[in-house]
Amino acid sequence: MPRGISHMTPICADRGVGALVVDLDGNRLLDFAGGIGTLNVGHANPDVVAAASAQLAKLTHTCFSVALYESYVALAEKLNAITPGAFPKKTMLANSGAEALENAVKIARHSTGREAVLVFEHAFHGRTLLTMSMTSKVRPYKFGFGPFAPEIYRLPYPYTYRDPIAADAAAYERTLRDFFSTHVAAEKIACLVLELVLGEGGFVVAPPEAVRAMERICKERGILLVIDEVQTGFGRTGRMFACEHYGVEPDLLTTAKSLGGGLPVSAVTGRAEIMDSAEAGGLGGTYAGNPVACAAALAAIEFLETHRLCNRAAEIGRVVEERFRCFYDRFPFIGEARGLGAMRALEIVKDRETKEPDKERTDRILRKACENGLILISAGTYGNVIRTLMPLVITDVQLQEGLEVLEHALQ
Ligand code: PLP
């Protein structure tokens, strides 16, 4: 395997159940990473396993562009129904988050007849040429991989902890509006692509006023609003989608990760007339919306709904938030504790005054946690953010146990 495919822990996983992973040596580990947010319904969720197994035995694949099948249609209908926006919607399926974002941009361009794409500093949208170009962080995602896709323009993210302008709603809106004079004409812009809570960028929560300003500007200028819910989606933030916290109804919404309950499937859901703009055959892919992945996704969504995992995420979030507040009071190297629902983070710094990121200490904390049986991963442009993405089926006892291990590692 090439060096570029790295792993954040030395664990070799053998099996998983709920919020637990067992490695090849039989060590039991609590999982606060959940496959980077793909396992909101837990490892080997029995409903997902049953649905995927039944589908696998019945019909493994046809390629949707050859012959359609029910699970694709059912999943598209389900996503049309549960995503925000009381307007007619359509959904197309793909394999990965990056592929969903690629397709959202293709659709936005086709529908508006415009080429430019607005993205943000600290954004992460994937590793393919277009999405790597939309992603912000240079190392390891972009360094040496250029040239990048053209017509991508980057705005400052409202990262209030590090950017004083972002904390001033009026000043931030002025920055956005100035952009059309200093960088690119508004009438050339197809879409603005936004993560309401930065994922890989460090779990920074966009302030509602900033999001409202973006929404306003998009409406005024005919720019489509694309919300990337690949990491925030399916209950993670305490609502099915982070959009619901903001009252935002995006023109296009991208999902992946926990959509498939651990199987690879992603989606673009959006206003019917926009989604319909591309010609027949212009969208798709050999494995896009594979029947087994669709069956798994339908079971995962049903499990989220029947087990009220959005409420559970909010509950987990409250427990973690309170504990993180205690950590903040106790450990001076924590610059900020933040998050939305169960998507919570600690930003580690050398000094609270200078806010200089401390990646080295962050890595030591994560290593220590792992040695003591907790899988935990970092995020952030500077690699100095500890983030929680535990399966939402985690028990109270497991949650407390994981937080104890983290506290010990911080200590
Ligand atoms: N968008 C966001 C917000 C993500 O967090 C990610 C992955 O972490 C992606 C897109 C890309 O998803 P994938 O790795 O499935 O291509």
Side-chain angles (χ1 to χ4, degrees):
M1 296 178 289
R3 196 163 64 107
I5 302 169
S6 68
H7 38 95
M8 300 181 222
T9 69
I11 296 159
C12 187
D14 183 45
R15 52 192 194 275
V17 58
L20 282 179
V21 167
V22 179
D23 77 4
L24 277 180
D25 298 321
N27 296 307
R28 165 192 170 278
L29 297 118
L30 269 170
D31 188 2
F32 271 23
I36 322 190
T38 57
L39 291 161
N40 289 358
V41 297
H43 288 274
N45 179 288
D47 293 7
V48 172
V49 171
S53 306
Q55 181 65 55
L56 186 59
K58 189 175 169 212
L59 177 76
T60 309
H61 198 62
T62 63
C63 182
F64 196 73
S65 39
V66 175
L68 59 84
Y69 38 86
E70 277 189 310
S71 57
Y72 189 119
V73 180
L75 183 56
E77 283 178 345
K78 186 72 189 172
L79 287 170
N80 292 341
I82 64 170
T83 47
F87 40 78
K89 278 177 248 159
K90 297 206 175 187
T91 289
M92 64 153 291
L93 303 177
N95 299 288
S96 66
E99 222 185 315
L101 268 298
E102 291 257 353
N103 279 287
V105 171
K106 278 170 66 174
I107 293 165
R109 283 178 167 164
H110 202 286
S111 146
T112 57
R114 303 171 174 188
E115 290 181 354
V117 176
L118 288 183
V119 292
F120 288 88
E121 285 169 6
H122 309 288
F124 185 91
H125 298 296
R127 296 167 181 270
T128 57
L129 176 60
L130 177 59
T131 58
M132 168 179 67
S133 308
M134 292 161 68
T135 287
S136 175
K137 187 170 174 172
V138 176
R139 278 179 188 266
Y141 304 130
K142 302 173 83 163
F143 184 75
F145 294 144
F148 302 107
E151 289 305 316
I152 290 163
Y153 299 89
R154 199 170 301 283
L155 290 156
Y157 193 83
Y159 191 167
T160 50
Y161 176 63
R162 293 199 172 273
D163 181 359
I165 291 185
D168 175 344
Y172 184 70
E173 181 160 354
R174 270 198 305 280
T175 306
L176 298 182
R177 289 183 184 278
D178 279 355
F179 202 80
F180 303 134
S181 310
T182 55
H183 288 78
V184 58
E187 56 268 37
K188 296 286 180 195
I189 303 168
C191 59
L192 176 143
V193 185
L194 170 69
E195 293 164 87
L196 292 166
V197 184
L198 290 174
E200 304 307 297
F203 284 25
V204 177
V205 185
E209 313 78 59
V211 175
R212 270 194 290 278
M214 292 174 204
E215 228 188 340
R216 239 185 342 262
I217 293 168
C218 282
K219 278 218 174 76
E220 282 167 25
R221 304 298 193 124
I223 298 166
L224 300 183
L225 180 60
V226 180
I227 302 284
D228 181 353
E229 294 245 19
V230 167
Q231 195 152 161
T232 50
F234 302 99
R236 173 59 44 193
T237 66
R239 309 291 287 268
M240 190 60 94
F241 298 101
C243 287
E244 296 167 42
H245 291 282
Y246 292 84
V248 175
E249 293 180 352
D251 297 301
L252 299 171
L253 180 98
T254 55
T255 51
K257 291 195 187 276
S258 273
L259 165 61
L263 274 83
V265 60
S266 65
V268 186
T269 303
R271 289 181 188 274
E273 69 280 12
I274 296 171
M275 292 294 295
D276 262 340
S277 132
E279 297 172 22
L283 307 173
T286 305
Y287 275 114
N290 161 268
V292 181
C294 288
L298 284 162
I301 296 171
E302 195 179 330
F303 188 91
L304 276 161
E305 288 177 338
T306 53
H307 291 77
R308 300 179 186 283
L309 288 191
C310 295
N311 294 350
R312 178 63 182 150
E315 230 170 71
I316 292 169
R318 279 193 291 276
V319 171
V320 178
E321 184 181 14
E322 200 181 313
R323 199 63 180 271
F324 277 15
R325 206 174 299 129
C326 298
F327 294 168
Y328 177 85
D329 291 340
R330 186 160 163 219
F331 302 108
F333 52 79
I334 296 176
E336 190 176 55
R338 58 173 177 252
L340 192 61
M343 196 172 180
R344 304 218 78 85
L346 297 171
E347 177 149 359
I348 309 297
V349 292
K350 292 191 174 155
D351 179 90
R352 277 193 184 162
E353 281 299 305
T354 64
K355 301 182 178 176
E356 189 185 340
D358 196 344
K359 174 174 167 31
E360 198 267 332
R361 188 191 290 269
T362 309
D363 290 342
R364 266 191 291 141
I365 296 166
L366 299 182
R367 246 192 334 269
K368 193 77 201 165
C370 187
E371 281 167 22
N372 290 318
L374 177 66
I375 304 175
L376 198 58
I377 55 173
S378 63
T381 301
Y382 316 107
N384 68 321
V385 178
I386 294 171
R387 57 172 152 171
T388 65
L389 287 166
M390 63 284 280
L392 303 175
V393 292
I394 193 167
T395 65
D396 289 340
V397 172
Q398 289 171 333
L399 182 60
Q400 289 303 336
E401 192 185 328
L403 290 168
E404 293 293 322
V405 175
L406 174 56
E407 181 165 8
H408 182 258
L410 291 165
Q411 196 176 309

